[in-house]
């Protein structure tokens, strides 16, 4: 090797090292540039649910119910979610480019209700309305990202879900400060609603006009929905458990204050944002199935650590590890489902997969409430950690479906 070749090789090595260093950062930014409109919708959803999670101790105390009853009342949102699965594709066809704007404005209208209801029946109806409004927007924005993934031939879900997590964490922290300042629930939820109204001005986006085939094969396949939806549901169960019960776990089990309690869901949101932004870059280089496996293992470890935590700091560590692990599993599951079907079926399949996954945000809190009622919140977090392990039984079937490159009906 001559003296001229050595500097060239050294120069190429430095360039490659620089590219590898900058790749994750650039990957996230470029993904968000491609999907900036649905990313704003993800931020809107995050603003509200971060506020809601930090307000759980106040809301539960106002409606005066026990753990099991509160968990069951949260399940009422599932009825709204089921309706959203049916409504979102129809609304998309009827409204067109401004469908996400309309969904966001309806969501902003109903999101003030948790700040004013006082009884269990009023709270149950409120959760149905929230499930319908947030579920409709959630389905629409995930469908738009799935379409952009197909067009750009690259994964985009993790970056967008990372925006949700970041908005969720910031909102939870701000809500904790607002609670410490003794601001009213109406004011807190009202500010969150006003923020969504502002974001809604940025949500107009063209809706692809793709017709189903006329040869009798126009029925959307269910296999990707069942397999990917189950994985998303199990992953979101861990997220939902921390969102709904971490503040209570910190304040009641470990004796923390209101601001410390709000840091429970905030820690989840921050680590999920880190995990999802990192996952955006990693998913373009490593098998998505392998990412799901590693993420699930981390989430189970985090749930166990939160369960046995002797101090608030250890509980935060557990919430953070759980959030880091579970962060990538749900977005990847939704993304795989959208890529396994033809364009005409994408919104329907993404809607079904997302809604099945979102059921975790109501089933998991109910399970947490029932277990906590009889055995305490420590046992409840252990149960959720065990349930997330079921992901490993579903992965082989998803891998076979992905490798086949088609979705059987």
């Amino acid at each position: 090797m001559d003296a001229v070749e050595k500097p060239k090789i050294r120069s190429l090595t430095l360039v490659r090292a620089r590219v590898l260093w900058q790749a994750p950062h650039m990957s996230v930014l470029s993904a968000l540039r491609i999907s900036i409109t649905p990313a704003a919708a993800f931020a809107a959803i995050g603003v509200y649910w971060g506020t809601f999670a930090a307000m759980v101790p106040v809301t539960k105390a106002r409606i005066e119910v026990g753990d099991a009853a509160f968990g069951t009342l949260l399940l009422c949102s599932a009825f709204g979610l089921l309706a959203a699965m049916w409504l979102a594709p129809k609304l998309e066809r009827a409204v067109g480019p401004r469908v996400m704007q309309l969904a966001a404005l309806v969501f902003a209208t109903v999101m003030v209700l948790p700040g004013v209801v006082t009884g269990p029946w009023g709270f149950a109806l409120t959760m149905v309305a929230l499930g319908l409004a947030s579920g409709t927007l959630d389905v629409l924005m995930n469908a738009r990202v799935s379409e952009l993934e197909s067009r750009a031939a690259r994964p985009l879900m993790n970056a967008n879900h990372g925006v949700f997590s970041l908005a969720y964490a910031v909102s939870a922290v701000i809500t904790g400060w607002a609670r410490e300042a003794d601001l009213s629930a109406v004011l807190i939820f009202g500010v969150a609603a006003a923020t969504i109204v502002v974001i809604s001005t940025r949500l107009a986006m063209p809706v692809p006009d793709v017709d189903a085939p006329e040869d009798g094969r126009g029925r959307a396949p269910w296999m990707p929905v069942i397999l990917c939806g189950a994985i998303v549901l199990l992953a979101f169960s861990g997220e939902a458990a921390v969102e709904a019960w971490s503040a209570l776990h910190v304040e009641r089990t470990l004796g923390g204050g209101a601001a410390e309690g709000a840091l429970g869901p905030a820690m989840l949101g921050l680590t999920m944002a880190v995990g999802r932004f990192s996952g955006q870059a990693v998913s373009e280089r490593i098998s998505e199935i392998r990412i799901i496996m590693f993420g699930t293992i981390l989430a189970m470890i985090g749930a166990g650590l939160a369960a046995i935590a002797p101090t608030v700091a250890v509980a935060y560590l557990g919430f953070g590890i759980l959030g880091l692990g579970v962060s990538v599993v749900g977005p990847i599951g939704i993304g795989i489902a959208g890529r396994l079907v033809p364009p005409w079926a994408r919104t329907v399949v993404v809607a079904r997969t997302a809604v099945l996954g979102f059921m975790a945000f109501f089933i998991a809190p109910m399970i947490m409430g029932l277990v906590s009622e009889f055995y305490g919140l420590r046992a409840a977090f252990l149960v959720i950690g065990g349930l997330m392990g079921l992901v490993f039984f579903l992965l082989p079937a998803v891998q076979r479906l992905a490798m086949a490159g088609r979705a059987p009906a």
Side-chain angles (χ1 to χ4, degrees):
M1 184 180 297
D2 57 35
V4 177
E5 289 178 338
K6 287 182 179 179
K8 286 183 179 179
I9 292 174
R10 189 178 299 110
S11 177
L12 285 172
T13 303
L14 290 173
V15 169
R16 286 171 182 166
R18 192 177 298 115
V19 168
L20 287 173
W21 174 257
Q22 294 177 348
H25 173 70
M26 297 306 295
S27 177
V28 171
L29 291 181
S30 64
L32 291 177
R33 278 195 295 268
I34 293 171
S35 55
I36 188 64
T37 300
F42 275 89
I45 295 287
V47 165
Y48 178 73
W49 288 113
T51 302
F52 182 88
M55 289 293 290
V56 160
V58 175
T59 305
K60 183 176 177 295
R62 190 172 63 251
I63 61 176
E64 298 180 338
V65 295
D67 287 358
F70 186 68
T72 303
L73 288 172
L74 291 175
L75 182 63
C76 291
S77 289
F79 297 107
L81 269 179
L82 289 174
M85 180 176 65
W86 168 84
L87 176 65
K90 295 182 181 298
L91 198 62
E92 178 183 79
R93 290 191 294 270
V95 178
R98 296 193 178 275
V99 64
M100 284 197 295
Q101 286 185 311
L102 175 63
L105 289 173
V106 173
F107 185 34
T109 302
V110 300
M111 67 169 43
V112 296
L113 296 178
V116 297
V117 295
T118 56
W121 287 108
F123 185 71
L125 293 175
T126 294
M127 293 310 296
V128 172
L130 282 172
L132 177 59
S134 65
T136 300
L137 180 57
D138 228 317
V139 165
L140 293 169
M141 68 193 190
N142 275 287
R144 296 290 80 75
V145 175
S146 183
E147 288 158 3
L148 291 171
E149 281 189 328
S150 179
R151 195 182 310 163
R154 58 175 296 192
L156 302 170
M157 280 289 180
N158 271 309
N160 282 267
H161 282 257
V163 171
F164 162 84
S165 299
L166 186 60
Y168 175 96
V170 172
S171 297
V173 171
I174 292 174
T175 302
W177 292 339
R179 283 182 57 198
E180 287 284 355
D182 290 327
L183 298 182
S184 71
V186 175
L187 178 59
I188 292 172
F189 281 111
V191 170
T195 304
I196 307 304
V197 172
V198 173
I199 293 174
S200 71
T201 63
R202 309 290 299 176
L203 298 184
M205 182 177 178
V207 175
D209 185 14
V210 182
D211 295 325
E214 298 179 356
D215 58 1
R217 295 181 299 162
R219 180 175 296 178
W222 274 98
M223 190 58 69
V225 174
I226 294 169
L227 293 175
C228 296
I231 287 177
V232 176
L233 185 148
L234 292 169
F236 283 171
S237 292
E239 181 180 345
V242 178
E243 282 188 3
W245 293 94
S246 60
L248 275 173
H249 187 44
V250 169
E251 294 179 33
R252 190 173 69 188
T253 308
L254 300 172
E260 289 176 307
L263 279 177
M267 180 64 69
L268 174 79
L270 286 171
T271 55
M272 288 189 69
V274 171
R276 284 170 172 170
F277 289 139
S278 302
Q280 174 61 42
V282 172
S283 63
E284 298 181 23
R285 295 164 176 80
I286 300 176
S287 161
E288 290 180 318
I289 299 296
R290 187 171 297 175
I291 294 173
I292 290 176
M293 290 175 60
F294 291 148
T296 301
I297 292 171
L298 268 181
M300 294 174 68
I301 293 172
L305 191 58
I308 64 173
T311 64
V312 171
V314 176
Y316 289 158
L317 180 61
F319 298 148
I321 293 174
L322 187 152
L324 194 63
V326 82
S327 62
V328 294
V329 178
I332 288 176
I334 295 172
I336 290 175
R339 292 195 299 272
L340 285 174
V341 298
W344 58 265
R346 188 164 291 127
T347 296
V348 173
V349 167
V350 168
R352 292 171 178 172
T353 304
V355 168
L356 180 57
F358 297 151
M359 294 290 286
F361 289 94
F362 315 106
I363 295 174
M366 182 189 69
I367 293 173
M368 289 284 293
L370 290 171
V371 176
S372 176
E373 185 83 11
F374 297 100
Y375 303 104
L377 278 170
R378 294 186 185 276
F381 276 107
L382 284 175
V383 169
I384 291 297
L387 287 175
M388 286 189 288
L390 296 175
V391 165
F392 295 104
F393 294 96
L394 298 167
L395 284 177
V398 173
Q399 191 168 23
R400 287 194 297 270
L401 194 62
M403 290 178 66
R406 63 185 182 89

